[in-house]
Amino acid sequence: MGEVPGQVRDAAVPDDTPRTASRPPRRDLPVRPSPDQIMAWLDAVPDPEIPVISVVDLGIVRGIRWQGDTLEVSVTPTYSGCPATRVISMDIETALRDRGLQDVRITTQIAPPWTTDWLSEKGRARLQDYGIAPPSPAGGPDRCPHCSSDNVTRISQYGSTPCKAQWRCADCLEPFDYFKCI
Amino acid sequence: MATPASSTAAQLDEALFTFLLRMGDNTLVLGHRVSEWCGHAPVLEEDIALANTALDLIGQTQMWLGLAADVEGQGRSADDLAMLRDVWDFRNLLLVEQPNGDFGQTIMRQYLFDQFHLLLLRALQDSADDRIAGIAAKAVKEVGYHVERSAETVIGLGDGTEESHGRMQAALDWLSPYVGEMFVSDEIDAEMATRGIVPDPASLRAPYDAALAEVLAKATLSRHEGDFAHQGGKTGFRHSEHLGHMLTQMQWLQRAYPGAAW
């Protein structure tokens, strides 16, 4: 599977494998859906921990391709021990099955390693609206997601999930999550 | 039945397998130790931080022991290696199996390991083995975060109150003899280094000592002279008594209900 830097919109979908007679024909999908269509379906699969963003927003879907009649979806973990990874794989499989793709295989790809640079702009905006400060290369949030004050301090380098840290606004006094930049 | 000829053809890459066990056993044993704090840390934020650190380490274990199992090619999984081996088959450093002690001792152990771990992973990103380079590139991001926190906490507690300073100095004195084992090279390391897969651990000693000196100076802590080092963990020759006790907890379920799955 080719490496796909950045977003995977232009993921190559090679299909040079002949259909084998031994596989049952897909009943409900006479035409193979386009890569854009599949990515749009995946963009409707929410992150289980932060449901306002999708798995595509998160940048963890690294590629899709057909292997014969099997759709292979390559997923990269955010943090190596993140327990949400398994749930995400199951959710992707279920979502594609619901769309009529019976034969789906999820593969794990660890290189290149996931980076918060792969978060989509839409995802960043939704995090902010949800009350989670999006990642910033400065190493901390530039403003409070609630009141936009820049008077913020760190409570802890870690938070409720591996991808977040705890911060606090000194103006509105609200604590908030910051999506760690890695 | 395999003939002698075919078993030679499929000969296990013993050095590579052992190296991968060393990596995976370090993260597994330290990950389990750190997880013992879950629900017991002095404040909630520290509890969460320790649990997250443990989670990263266990995640890295899955990658290292998963690759070890692939290299071994005997049909064992990462879980089998973690849960079905006994003390003498573990290849982790003695440092990481030492008991948690108080919070200061846990944080000091963490920093002493994190600093080494970071230097090692950075070097492994250039490994001639792409699979190892890939795991290292993933893990180094997490470990960079670990060392940032453990170093800051060592400094905060060392340069803190009389009580915290005393405890951190005691922790450093207790754990210092376990530092040297990280940099001892044996024939496995030599072979791996020759093949360009792994750096010679001895080459990490100077940058480690420099980083440690800087952090300890800020923490107002002093390291004893002398380079005596307890050894026997990474070779498996002689673990401390603590590892076996830890495994009875960690592996309890598989020992009581062999093959249990859910």
Side-chain angles (χ1 to χ4, degrees), chain B residues 11 131 134 147 218:
Chain B
Q11 200 174 32
R131 300 166 299 180
V147 76
K218 286 185 190 158

Side-chain angles (χ1 to χ4, degrees), chain A residues 76-83 86 110-111 113-115 154-162 165-166 180 182, chain B residues 45-46 48-49 52-53 55-60 62-63 131 134-135 137-138 141-142 145-146 148-149 152-153:
Chain A
T76 196
T78 51
Y79 286 78
S80 55
C82 183
R86 262 185 217 179
I110 63 160
W114 179 76
T115 160
R154 191 179 73 192
I155 300 173
S156 171
Q157 280 147 299
Y158 290 88
S160 55
T161 66
Q166 296 169 65
K180 285 155 39 178
I182 69 165
Chain B
E45 285 77 10
E46 292 307 325
I48 290 171
N52 271 287
T53 303
L55 192 63
D56 287 341
L57 292 169
I58 300 299
Q60 293 165 20
Q62 287 177 329
M63 297 192 286
R131 300 166 299 180
I135 296 173
K138 179 85 196 149
K141 291 183 166 214
E142 295 162 1
Y145 209 78
H146 297 170
E148 198 180 305
R149 173 175 173 280
E152 260 184 40
T153 314

Side-chain angles (χ1 to χ4, degrees), chain B:
Chain B
M1 169 94 60
T3 63
S6 70
S7 62
T8 308
Q11 200 174 32
L12 173 63
D13 190 337
E14 194 78 52
L16 180 60
F17 179 64
T18 303
F19 166 74
L20 293 168
L21 287 184
R22 288 174 176 179
M23 295 302 293
D25 288 348
N26 278 340
T27 51
L28 173 62
V29 172
L30 185 59
H32 185 83
R33 275 285 183 236
V34 174
S35 79
E36 290 171 354
W37 276 101
C38 191
H40 301 280
V43 291
L44 183 60
E45 285 77 10
E46 292 307 325
D47 201 291
I48 290 171
L50 288 167
N52 271 287
T53 303
L55 192 63
D56 287 341
L57 292 169
I58 300 299
Q60 293 165 20
T61 303
Q62 287 177 329
M63 297 192 286
W64 291 122
L65 293 187
L67 182 53
D70 284 350
V71 165
E72 186 190 39
Q74 298 293 315
R76 290 205 281 183
S77 66
D79 279 339
D80 292 337
L81 290 174
M83 297 301 166
L84 303 179
R85 283 179 302 151
D86 213 332
V87 178
W88 45 79
D89 289 327
F90 274 74
R91 294 292 178 268
N92 58 279
L93 298 161
L94 295 175
L95 173 69
V96 299
E97 70 193 41
Q98 297 312 303
N100 287 336
D102 61 16
F103 181 73
Q105 190 175 317
T106 292
I107 292 297
M108 182 60 78
R109 183 188 62 199
Q110 191 68 34
Y111 172 65
L112 294 174
F113 179 75
D114 286 346
Q115 190 67 64
F116 162 75
H117 202 196
L118 181 68
L119 291 165
L120 178 57
L121 290 172
R122 277 186 186 154
L124 288 177
Q125 286 180 276
D126 299 323
S127 172
D129 188 319
D130 288 345
R131 300 166 299 180
I132 290 175
I135 296 173
K138 179 85 196 149
V140 77
K141 291 183 166 214
E142 295 162 1
V143 170
Y145 209 78
H146 297 170
V147 76
E148 198 180 305
R149 173 175 173 280
S150 60
E152 260 184 40
T153 314
V154 163
I155 293 167
L157 291 172
D159 187 22
T161 64
E162 197 179 326
E163 173 78 18
S164 71
H165 174 86
R167 285 179 182 240
M168 292 311 277
Q169 186 62 56
L172 178 62
D173 295 345
W174 179 255
L175 295 169
S176 281
Y178 296 97
V179 167
E181 189 186 20
M182 298 191 275
F183 306 100
V184 176
S185 302
D186 62 7
E187 69 281 2
I188 305 270
D189 295 307
E191 187 188 332
M192 291 283 95
T194 306
R195 287 161 63 183
I197 295 175
V198 172
D200 179 353
S203 70
L204 304 175
R205 181 88 211 212
Y208 180 88
D209 282 344
L212 189 62
E214 200 181 319
V215 167
L216 293 183
K218 286 185 190 158
T220 69
L221 298 171
S222 48
R223 200 173 160 191
H224 283 293
E225 295 297 321
D227 56 1
F228 170 76
H230 292 297
Q231 293 182 48
K234 71 182 266 189
T235 60
F237 173 68
R238 184 169 54 221
H239 281 282
S240 62
E241 67 180 286
H242 309 293
L243 181 61
H245 291 281
M246 196 199 94
L247 293 186
T248 61
Q249 298 293 313
M250 190 181 86
Q251 300 177 331
W252 176 83
L253 195 122
Q254 286 299 329
R255 288 168 186 254
Y257 304 97
W262 59 93

Side-chain angles (χ1 to χ4, degrees), chain A residues 161-180:
Chain A
T161 66
C163 56
K164 288 179 292 189
Q166 296 169 65
W167 284 65
R168 174 170 44 213
C169 176
D171 282 335
C172 74
L173 304 180
E174 286 291 328
F176 62 90
D177 278 328
Y178 164 62
F179 204 102
K180 285 155 39 178

